[in-house]
Amino acid sequence: MDAIVTSTVTKSAATDCCSESKTIAQAVPRKNIMWVYIIVGFFGLVSIGTYAMHEYYLYLSAYLWFGFIYGMCLQYGRFCFASAFRDLFAVGVPRMVVGIMIATFLFSITSSLVAATGWSTFHAAPWSVHAVIAGLIFGIGMVFAGGCASGSLYKAGEGNGVSMLVILSISVTQSAFVDVGGWANKLVPKAWAEAALTKGLPSSINVSDGWVDQYLAGYVWEQPVITFAKLLGFEDHSLVGALYANTFIGVLLPALLLLVICYIFWSRKRYVMDLKTNEGRSANFADHVRGFWSMIISSKRTAIAGLFLGIACGLQMFVIEGLRMKFGVKNAGTILQRIGFDYGISVKGTVFDPGYWYVTTQEAQWVGWMAQKLGFNNMDNIYFGWVNGIPSPAINPADWMSVALIGGAAVMALMNNEFKWKKPTKELAIWALIGGAFMGIGSRLALGCNVGAFFVRTANGDVSGWSFGLGMIGGAYIGVKFFNWYTERKMAKEMANIDFDL
Amino acid sequence: MAMQFKQVEHGLYTLDVTGYVCPHPQLYTKKVMEKLHSGDKLELVFDNPSSAESISAMCTNEGNPVLDQKRDGSKFIFTIQKA
């Protein structure tokens, strides 16, 4: 590291015990600032240069700059869905649960307002127990990997090699999983296979070959699509349905319940003890309300990140739908074809174009695209061939979003002097690959990850979002139990020759 | 680099988890703090930024004061005292 002036903040025990940790001030090296300009300049040039080629590239640039904002927010707030329940179960820290609930609530308000205008890009997912099972597998994976799908992206922006391996593992696993057939067809229940054949898919998809194809067409598509608005008899696109049913009933009440549980089981004890020590009295109801609030604001960085993230997520829906109207399209596949790219477009003429923040499908797509280039035919399945396509990563809108997310996180990390290339150790590399594989499979079973299947769906009143979340909590609990045992075992070896009484 | 835990002198220990990502730094710190006696100090070295927030919050919750927080390049060095 060159030309770094290091400064430290030293704090007394008296002030530190019960206050939020302060940011440790440190001068930012000039080299970091130069890289910030290079990264921002690169994305700026991409946007301006492509816009000069054709106005349609605005669509891709919109994805790009929202991705950039997400990356900055995630890195600033150390915003990782994996750490939410993992840190709660492992070390009793609820800060990330608080941040995620704040972000989900704010996202829900903005997305409900967008929905009420009829400009929402959101479509609810089929709901059944599959969402819980998928969440469970995903939750175990995110603890093993050391980060969720979005967390791994922002940590890759910090130069973390482990996170890059996680992304690689998620990408390869998904791409392979959606195309696996042959022996795996024998594991498909007969009812799924029969139901899949009735969906009228084109022969090029070959729906009877592929476990995921038959799972999707034969099982998932048969399940009901339920939102809180529909449950209460409203339309998703009405103001009452969106704001009252989907946001108030579907997000605010469950989020408050979750936070109250966190306070009772993880924060209350310390607050009551401090009150007794400092004021010599027991806590009354008003004290508990104050204690609950202090838990909410205990990590300002996470809460601020959640606030901006929530607002940006809702705005992206609004902007993307606005651009679709402007260009007279319903999917980016049409835009790509109009600007001369027809490679990797699905049978329906579409490509993956969620219209909101999403992480995992574009990761599967770039590996799918590479596999296709290497001679594999992976367009004969529903995931790539019928719905998402495998356009070149260079013109894939969702890939622009993810690359810019990594860039935004890198910019924030550089500005806070937290960027460092870190080579993974063998031990962490193995965990990254195993965890990434679990997350890849979980994502495809749920049709999304912690962002697409939990955050976005929950915020939009989709019941399957909370179902995936419940599974994710269960998975995090199992993962933590395992890592507790693993850490205990390693520490016992390290402490074998130490006598703590000497 | 593998995790290293050492006794420097009576009542003072070091835990170096440089290179580790979440949740390892938090978990190792928790396990060590459980073993220490009241008044013992731990110098913790790590370089995973998100662990800084979690470890600070964990210390607050458990009443173990963080006496000192330093940065050395991308490394974080916390001195924690067992309550």
Side-chain angles (χ1 to χ4, degrees):
Chain A
M1 283 281 219
D2 59 331
I4 298 176
V5 181
T6 307
S7 63
T8 63
V9 173
T10 306
K11 299 190 293 176
S12 71
T15 58
D16 190 73
C17 168
C18 302
S19 64
E20 187 198 357
S21 71
K22 291 174 185 169
T23 303
I24 310 166
Q26 195 175 39
V28 180
R30 275 188 195 165
K31 195 174 83 174
N32 286 19
I33 302 295
M34 184 190 78
W35 274 107
V36 167
Y37 282 123
I38 290 173
I39 294 169
V40 176
F42 171 74
F43 288 128
L45 277 177
V46 167
S47 288
I48 295 166
T50 52
Y51 180 72
M53 285 160 63
H54 205 291
E55 190 187 25
Y56 284 138
Y57 280 100
L58 263 182
Y59 196 82
L60 280 82
S61 283
Y63 270 101
L64 185 151
W65 288 107
F66 276 108
F68 191 84
I69 293 167
Y70 299 149
M72 291 188 81
C73 289
L74 292 176
Q75 205 284 331
Y76 177 79
R78 286 82 157 87
F79 213 90
C80 180
F81 288 68
S83 72
F85 295 102
R86 181 198 63 208
D87 281 1
L88 197 62
F89 297 137
V91 292
V93 173
R95 72 168 179 102
M96 192 52 70
V97 179
V98 172
I100 286 171
M101 288 304 110
I102 289 174
T104 310
F105 177 56
L106 285 164
F107 178 24
S108 187
I109 291 176
T110 50
S111 63
S112 283
L113 291 173
V114 173
T117 64
W119 283 37
S120 177
T121 52
F122 178 75
H123 298 285
W127 175 79
S128 82
V129 72
H130 76 277
V132 182
I133 295 167
L136 190 84
I137 296 169
F138 188 91
I140 294 171
M142 72 184 185
V143 174
F144 283 180
C148 58
S150 55
S152 299
L153 277 180
Y154 99 70
K155 287 172 188 171
E158 291 175 343
N160 192 323
V162 175
S163 301
M164 293 174 199
L165 274 181
V166 174
I167 295 169
L168 181 70
S169 179
I170 294 177
S171 308
V172 173
T173 307
Q174 285 186 95
S175 186
F177 184 51
V178 297
D179 204 39
V180 69
W183 61 270
N185 292 329
K186 292 177 186 162
L187 305 175
V188 176
K190 199 178 164 196
W192 294 7
E194 286 171 0
L197 286 171
T198 65
K199 298 298 185 300
L201 289 158
S203 58
S204 63
I205 296 302
N206 195 9
V207 73
S208 57
D209 181 26
W211 189 91
V212 172
D213 281 357
Q214 293 170 90
Y215 164 73
L216 289 174
Y219 176 72
V220 175
W221 293 357
E222 305 265 309
Q223 307 310 314
V225 173
I226 307 171
T227 61
F228 283 92
K230 280 185 184 166
L231 276 177
L232 296 172
F234 301 107
E235 288 293 320
D236 286 316
H237 297 293
S238 68
L239 196 61
V240 181
L243 270 178
Y244 169 68
N246 286 342
T247 296
F248 182 73
I249 304 287
V251 177
L252 184 61
L253 293 186
L256 275 177
L257 178 69
L258 198 59
L259 291 174
V260 167
I261 291 171
C262 284
Y263 174 71
I264 292 171
F265 289 99
W266 285 280
S267 285
R268 186 180 58 137
K269 191 177 161 193
R270 168 56 40 193
Y271 188 78
V272 170
M273 277 172 72
D274 286 344
L275 201 68
K276 210 156 202 170
T277 308
N278 298 332
E279 298 180 27
R281 64 183 179 86
S282 304
N284 56 33
F285 181 74
D287 290 320
H288 284 304
V289 173
R290 278 191 287 274
F292 178 78
W293 183 245
S294 75
M295 179 189 80
I296 300 289
I297 59 168
S298 64
S299 181
K300 289 193 180 70
R301 276 181 90 113
T302 311
I304 290 168
L307 194 145
F308 280 99
L309 204 57
I311 294 170
C313 285
L315 276 179
Q316 185 183 8
M317 288 183 157
F318 189 72
V319 169
I320 296 293
E321 187 60 23
L323 287 169
R324 284 179 187 169
M325 288 181 184
K326 174 179 166 64
F327 296 135
V329 299
K330 289 192 170 166
N331 180 275
T334 313
I335 289 180
L336 296 190
Q337 289 181 79
R338 284 183 193 169
I339 52 181
F341 296 100
D342 56 5
Y343 181 83
I345 308 280
S346 78
V347 180
K348 290 196 292 183
T350 56
V351 293
F352 181 58
D353 179 19
Y356 46 78
W357 186 22
Y358 208 94
V359 178
T360 43
T361 288
Q362 57 266 44
E363 291 175 346
Q365 279 179 306
W366 72 263
V367 174
W369 175 80
M370 279 181 64
Q372 177 85 316
K373 291 288 178 190
L374 290 170
F376 292 96
N377 175 22
N378 52 7
M379 286 292 272
D380 60 348
N381 58 60
I382 290 172
Y383 186 65
F384 288 137
W386 179 245
V387 185
N388 299 308
I390 42 170
S392 160
I395 44 92
N396 184 339
D399 267 331
W400 281 37
M401 179 163 63
S402 289
V403 170
L405 192 156
I406 295 172
V411 163
M412 191 55 90
L414 285 162
M415 291 196 309
N416 285 302
N417 206 16
E418 290 174 354
F419 183 91
K420 187 191 173 192
W421 291 109
K422 277 186 225 158
K423 198 176 144 190
T425 60
K426 191 178 163 191
E427 178 195 1
L428 294 184
I430 292 168
W431 285 122
L433 295 175
I434 295 172
F438 270 79
M439 283 197 282
I441 292 169
S443 298
R444 292 296 34 97
L445 292 177
L447 320 182
C449 61
N450 56 290
V451 173
F454 174 68
F455 183 54
V456 176
R457 284 183 197 157
T458 302
N460 283 276
D462 184 343
V463 176
S464 77
W466 282 114
S467 306
F468 183 84
L470 277 177
M472 210 164 55
I473 293 170
Y477 184 77
I478 294 169
V480 165
K481 280 280 168 200
F482 177 81
F483 261 143
N484 256 327
W485 167 81
Y486 177 81
T487 310
E488 195 82 51
R489 200 174 130 265
K490 284 194 73 179
M491 282 310 297
K493 279 185 194 168
E494 198 69 15
M495 290 174 170
N497 298 321
I498 293 175
D499 188 343
F500 289 91
D501 293 321
L502 284 179
Chain B
M1 195 185 82
M3 172 270 296
Q4 285 186 328
F5 177 67
K6 285 179 187 164
Q7 185 174 32
V8 181
E9 58 187 57
H10 175 66
L12 179 63
Y13 302 85
T14 60
L15 173 66
D16 190 339
V17 279
T18 306
Y20 278 87
V21 295
C22 292
H24 303 275
Q26 294 94 298
L27 275 174
Y28 282 124
T29 307
K30 184 179 167 69
K31 299 288 174 198
V32 169
M33 293 309 293
E34 283 169 359
K35 294 278 180 189
L36 299 191
H37 296 310
S38 179
D40 287 353
K41 290 177 188 171
L42 173 72
E43 188 177 82
L44 169 70
V45 184
F46 61 100
D47 60 355
N48 184 48
S50 55
S51 292
E53 300 278 322
S54 297
I55 290 168
S56 290
M58 177 179 78
C59 290
T60 301
N61 273 355
E62 292 179 0
N64 297 323
V66 181
L67 303 177
D68 189 24
Q69 297 185 12
K70 290 180 192 160
R71 285 287 301 273
D72 178 10
S74 59
K75 282 187 184 175
F76 294 77
I77 304 161
F78 283 16
T79 306
I80 310 165
Q81 187 170 43
K82 171 92 172 194

PDB file of all heavy atoms in Angstrom, chain B residues 48-70:
ATOM      1  N   ASN B  48     -12.001  -8.605   7.470  1.00  0.00           N
ATOM      2  CA  ASN B  48     -13.307  -8.738   6.812  1.00  0.00           C
ATOM      3  C   ASN B  48     -14.192  -7.584   7.297  1.00  0.00           C
ATOM      4  O   ASN B  48     -14.678  -7.618   8.434  1.00  0.00           O
ATOM      5  CB  ASN B  48     -13.923 -10.091   7.170  1.00  0.00           C
ATOM      6  CG  ASN B  48     -15.224 -10.332   6.439  1.00  0.00           C
ATOM      7  OD1 ASN B  48     -15.305 -10.136   5.232  1.00  0.00           O
ATOM      8  ND2 ASN B  48     -16.249 -10.749   7.162  1.00  0.00           N
ATOM      9  N   PRO B  49     -14.395  -6.522   6.460  1.00  0.00           N
ATOM     10  CA  PRO B  49     -15.085  -5.316   6.948  1.00  0.00           C
ATOM     11  C   PRO B  49     -16.427  -5.578   7.628  1.00  0.00           C
ATOM     12  O   PRO B  49     -16.724  -4.980   8.664  1.00  0.00           O
ATOM     13  CB  PRO B  49     -15.281  -4.485   5.672  1.00  0.00           C
ATOM     14  CG  PRO B  49     -14.198  -4.923   4.758  1.00  0.00           C
ATOM     15  CD  PRO B  49     -14.008  -6.389   5.046  1.00  0.00           C
ATOM     16  N   SER B  50     -17.238  -6.505   7.067  1.00  0.00           N
ATOM     17  CA  SER B  50     -18.573  -6.670   7.653  1.00  0.00           C
ATOM     18  C   SER B  50     -18.510  -7.295   9.044  1.00  0.00           C
ATOM     19  O   SER B  50     -19.442  -7.137   9.832  1.00  0.00           O
ATOM     20  CB  SER B  50     -19.478  -7.482   6.728  1.00  0.00           C
ATOM     21  OG  SER B  50     -18.883  -8.698   6.422  1.00  0.00           O
ATOM     22  N   SER B  51     -17.410  -7.984   9.352  1.00  0.00           N
ATOM     23  CA  SER B  51     -17.283  -8.554  10.696  1.00  0.00           C
ATOM     24  C   SER B  51     -17.123  -7.465  11.741  1.00  0.00           C
ATOM     25  O   SER B  51     -17.461  -7.668  12.915  1.00  0.00           O
ATOM     26  CB  SER B  51     -16.078  -9.498  10.765  1.00  0.00           C
ATOM     27  OG  SER B  51     -16.303 -10.634   9.990  1.00  0.00           O
ATOM     28  N   ALA B  52     -16.584  -6.301  11.343  1.00  0.00           N
ATOM     29  CA  ALA B  52     -16.362  -5.214  12.300  1.00  0.00           C
ATOM     30  C   ALA B  52     -17.673  -4.800  12.960  1.00  0.00           C
ATOM     31  O   ALA B  52     -17.750  -4.637  14.184  1.00  0.00           O
ATOM     32  CB  ALA B  52     -15.713  -4.020  11.606  1.00  0.00           C
ATOM     33  N   GLU B  53     -18.702  -4.644  12.146  1.00  0.00           N
ATOM     34  CA  GLU B  53     -20.010  -4.239  12.671  1.00  0.00           C
ATOM     35  C   GLU B  53     -20.576  -5.310  13.605  1.00  0.00           C
ATOM     36  O   GLU B  53     -21.076  -5.017  14.682  1.00  0.00           O
ATOM     37  CB  GLU B  53     -21.001  -4.034  11.509  1.00  0.00           C
ATOM     38  CG  GLU B  53     -20.591  -2.969  10.518  1.00  0.00           C
ATOM     39  CD  GLU B  53     -20.953  -1.576  10.993  1.00  0.00           C
ATOM     40  OE1 GLU B  53     -22.019  -1.424  11.588  1.00  0.00           O
ATOM     41  OE2 GLU B  53     -20.150  -0.658  10.761  1.00  0.00           O
ATOM     42  N   SER B  54     -20.479  -6.554  13.154  1.00  0.00           N
ATOM     43  CA  SER B  54     -21.068  -7.650  13.935  1.00  0.00           C
ATOM     44  C   SER B  54     -20.326  -7.857  15.245  1.00  0.00           C
ATOM     45  O   SER B  54     -20.946  -8.096  16.284  1.00  0.00           O
ATOM     46  CB  SER B  54     -21.047  -8.953  13.122  1.00  0.00           C
ATOM     47  OG  SER B  54     -21.836  -8.797  11.973  1.00  0.00           O
ATOM     48  N   ILE B  55     -18.999  -7.771  15.211  1.00  0.00           N
ATOM     49  CA  ILE B  55     -18.218  -7.990  16.437  1.00  0.00           C
ATOM     50  C   ILE B  55     -18.473  -6.855  17.431  1.00  0.00           C
ATOM     51  O   ILE B  55     -18.650  -7.099  18.629  1.00  0.00           O
ATOM     52  CB  ILE B  55     -16.719  -8.145  16.107  1.00  0.00           C
ATOM     53  CG1 ILE B  55     -16.499  -9.486  15.386  1.00  0.00           C
ATOM     54  CG2 ILE B  55     -15.865  -8.085  17.370  1.00  0.00           C
ATOM     55  CD1 ILE B  55     -15.141  -9.654  14.752  1.00  0.00           C
ATOM     56  N   SER B  56     -18.531  -5.606  16.940  1.00  0.00           N
ATOM     57  CA  SER B  56     -18.837  -4.481  17.837  1.00  0.00           C
ATOM     58  C   SER B  56     -20.189  -4.678  18.506  1.00  0.00           C
ATOM     59  O   SER B  56     -20.334  -4.492  19.716  1.00  0.00           O
ATOM     60  CB  SER B  56     -18.868  -3.165  17.049  1.00  0.00           C
ATOM     61  OG  SER B  56     -17.583  -2.827  16.637  1.00  0.00           O
ATOM     62  N   ALA B  57     -21.178  -5.061  17.701  1.00  0.00           N
ATOM     63  CA  ALA B  57     -22.533  -5.258  18.233  1.00  0.00           C
ATOM     64  C   ALA B  57     -22.568  -6.415  19.215  1.00  0.00           C
ATOM     65  O   ALA B  57     -23.232  -6.350  20.253  1.00  0.00           O
ATOM     66  CB  ALA B  57     -23.506  -5.491  17.090  1.00  0.00           C
ATOM     67  N   MET B  58     -21.832  -7.475  18.904  1.00  0.00           N
ATOM     68  CA  MET B  58     -21.788  -8.634  19.793  1.00  0.00           C
ATOM     69  C   MET B  58     -21.179  -8.243  21.139  1.00  0.00           C
ATOM     70  O   MET B  58     -21.699  -8.618  22.196  1.00  0.00           O
ATOM     71  CB  MET B  58     -20.944  -9.741  19.145  1.00  0.00           C
ATOM     72  CG  MET B  58     -20.749 -10.972  19.996  1.00  0.00           C
ATOM     73  SD  MET B  58     -19.763 -12.215  19.139  1.00  0.00           S
ATOM     74  CE  MET B  58     -18.111 -11.558  19.341  1.00  0.00           C
ATOM     75  N   CYS B  59     -20.090  -7.464  21.114  1.00  0.00           N
ATOM     76  CA  CYS B  59     -19.450  -7.028  22.354  1.00  0.00           C
ATOM     77  C   CYS B  59     -20.401  -6.157  23.178  1.00  0.00           C
ATOM     78  O   CYS B  59     -20.486  -6.290  24.399  1.00  0.00           O
ATOM     79  CB  CYS B  59     -18.158  -6.259  22.043  1.00  0.00           C
ATOM     80  SG  CYS B  59     -16.863  -7.330  21.395  1.00  0.00           S
ATOM     81  N   THR B  60     -21.120  -5.260  22.488  1.00  0.00           N
ATOM     82  CA  THR B  60     -22.096  -4.406  23.171  1.00  0.00           C
ATOM     83  C   THR B  60     -23.146  -5.263  23.867  1.00  0.00           C
ATOM     84  O   THR B  60     -23.454  -5.073  25.040  1.00  0.00           O
ATOM     85  CB  THR B  60     -22.771  -3.455  22.172  1.00  0.00           C
ATOM     86  OG1 THR B  60     -21.760  -2.667  21.553  1.00  0.00           O
ATOM     87  CG2 THR B  60     -23.788  -2.549  22.849  1.00  0.00           C
ATOM     88  N   ASN B  61     -23.700  -6.237  23.122  1.00  0.00           N
ATOM     89  CA  ASN B  61     -24.752  -7.099  23.669  1.00  0.00           C
ATOM     90  C   ASN B  61     -24.274  -7.883  24.881  1.00  0.00           C
ATOM     91  O   ASN B  61     -25.022  -8.113  25.826  1.00  0.00           O
ATOM     92  CB  ASN B  61     -25.224  -8.094  22.601  1.00  0.00           C
ATOM     93  CG  ASN B  61     -26.325  -7.505  21.757  1.00  0.00           C
ATOM     94  OD1 ASN B  61     -26.785  -6.399  22.024  1.00  0.00           O
ATOM     95  ND2 ASN B  61     -26.742  -8.225  20.734  1.00  0.00           N
ATOM     96  N   GLU B  62     -23.021  -8.317  24.832  1.00  0.00           N
ATOM     97  CA  GLU B  62     -22.521  -9.172  25.914  1.00  0.00           C
ATOM     98  C   GLU B  62     -21.855  -8.366  27.023  1.00  0.00           C
ATOM     99  O   GLU B  62     -21.369  -8.947  27.998  1.00  0.00           O
ATOM    100  CB  GLU B  62     -21.573 -10.219  25.329  1.00  0.00           C
ATOM    101  CG  GLU B  62     -22.347 -11.200  24.451  1.00  0.00           C
ATOM    102  CD  GLU B  62     -21.479 -12.268  23.808  1.00  0.00           C
ATOM    103  OE1 GLU B  62     -20.259 -12.266  24.044  1.00  0.00           O
ATOM    104  OE2 GLU B  62     -22.045 -13.085  23.064  1.00  0.00           O
ATOM    105  N   GLY B  63     -21.792  -7.044  26.838  1.00  0.00           N
ATOM    106  CA  GLY B  63     -21.228  -6.178  27.884  1.00  0.00           C
ATOM    107  C   GLY B  63     -19.715  -6.197  27.939  1.00  0.00           C
ATOM    108  O   GLY B  63     -19.128  -5.759  28.930  1.00  0.00           O
ATOM    109  N   ASN B  64     -19.063  -6.717  26.894  1.00  0.00           N
ATOM    110  CA  ASN B  64     -17.590  -6.730  26.861  1.00  0.00           C
ATOM    111  C   ASN B  64     -17.104  -5.472  26.147  1.00  0.00           C
ATOM    112  O   ASN B  64     -17.299  -5.342  24.941  1.00  0.00           O
ATOM    113  CB  ASN B  64     -17.081  -7.965  26.113  1.00  0.00           C
ATOM    114  CG  ASN B  64     -17.466  -9.255  26.812  1.00  0.00           C
ATOM    115  OD1 ASN B  64     -17.476  -9.327  28.038  1.00  0.00           O
ATOM    116  ND2 ASN B  64     -17.814 -10.267  26.035  1.00  0.00           N
ATOM    117  N   PRO B  65     -16.475  -4.520  26.871  1.00  0.00           N
ATOM    118  CA  PRO B  65     -16.079  -3.274  26.213  1.00  0.00           C
ATOM    119  C   PRO B  65     -14.971  -3.453  25.181  1.00  0.00           C
ATOM    120  O   PRO B  65     -14.034  -4.223  25.399  1.00  0.00           O
ATOM    121  CB  PRO B  65     -15.593  -2.396  27.372  1.00  0.00           C
ATOM    122  CG  PRO B  65     -15.327  -3.322  28.490  1.00  0.00           C
ATOM    123  CD  PRO B  65     -16.165  -4.524  28.309  1.00  0.00           C
ATOM    124  N   VAL B  66     -15.122  -2.738  24.060  1.00  0.00           N
ATOM    125  CA  VAL B  66     -14.048  -2.681  23.073  1.00  0.00           C
ATOM    126  C   VAL B  66     -13.180  -1.492  23.471  1.00  0.00           C
ATOM    127  O   VAL B  66     -13.596  -0.338  23.341  1.00  0.00           O
ATOM    128  CB  VAL B  66     -14.616  -2.497  21.641  1.00  0.00           C
ATOM    129  CG1 VAL B  66     -13.474  -2.474  20.616  1.00  0.00           C
ATOM    130  CG2 VAL B  66     -15.594  -3.608  21.309  1.00  0.00           C
ATOM    131  N   LEU B  67     -11.994  -1.755  23.999  1.00  0.00           N
ATOM    132  CA  LEU B  67     -11.160  -0.685  24.552  1.00  0.00           C
ATOM    133  C   LEU B  67     -10.530   0.154  23.452  1.00  0.00           C
ATOM    134  O   LEU B  67     -10.287   1.338  23.620  1.00  0.00           O
ATOM    135  CB  LEU B  67     -10.054  -1.291  25.430  1.00  0.00           C
ATOM    136  CG  LEU B  67     -10.517  -2.175  26.584  1.00  0.00           C
ATOM    137  CD1 LEU B  67      -9.314  -2.760  27.317  1.00  0.00           C
ATOM    138  CD2 LEU B  67     -11.383  -1.387  27.565  1.00  0.00           C
ATOM    139  N   ASP B  68     -10.253  -0.472  22.329  1.00  0.00           N
ATOM    140  CA  ASP B  68      -9.506   0.233  21.294  1.00  0.00           C
ATOM    141  C   ASP B  68      -9.837  -0.368  19.932  1.00  0.00           C
ATOM    142  O   ASP B  68     -10.003  -1.585  19.805  1.00  0.00           O
ATOM    143  CB  ASP B  68      -8.001   0.074  21.592  1.00  0.00           C
ATOM    144  CG  ASP B  68      -7.144   0.955  20.702  1.00  0.00           C
ATOM    145  OD1 ASP B  68      -7.668   1.970  20.213  1.00  0.00           O
ATOM    146  OD2 ASP B  68      -5.965   0.617  20.500  1.00  0.00           O
ATOM    147  N   GLN B  69      -9.970   0.503  18.948  1.00  0.00           N
ATOM    148  CA  GLN B  69     -10.184   0.040  17.562  1.00  0.00           C
ATOM    149  C   GLN B  69      -9.163   0.738  16.680  1.00  0.00           C
ATOM    150  O   GLN B  69      -9.093   1.952  16.683  1.00  0.00           O
ATOM    151  CB  GLN B  69     -11.585   0.391  17.076  1.00  0.00           C
ATOM    152  CG  GLN B  69     -12.691  -0.272  17.861  1.00  0.00           C
ATOM    153  CD  GLN B  69     -14.062   0.005  17.269  1.00  0.00           C
ATOM    154  OE1 GLN B  69     -14.170   0.507  16.160  1.00  0.00           O
ATOM    155  NE2 GLN B  69     -15.089  -0.318  18.001  1.00  0.00           N
ATOM    156  N   LYS B  70      -8.384  -0.025  15.940  1.00  0.00           N
ATOM    157  CA  LYS B  70      -7.365   0.561  15.060  1.00  0.00           C
ATOM    158  C   LYS B  70      -7.535   0.020  13.661  1.00  0.00           C
ATOM    159  O   LYS B  70      -8.125  -1.044  13.458  1.00  0.00           O
ATOM    160  CB  LYS B  70      -5.956   0.179  15.544  1.00  0.00           C
ATOM    161  CG  LYS B  70      -5.515   0.810  16.828  1.00  0.00           C
ATOM    162  CD  LYS B  70      -4.099   0.310  17.147  1.00  0.00           C
ATOM    163  CE  LYS B  70      -3.719   0.673  18.565  1.00  0.00           C
ATOM    164  NZ  LYS B  70      -2.626  -0.160  19.066  1.00  0.00           N
TER     165      LYS B  70
END
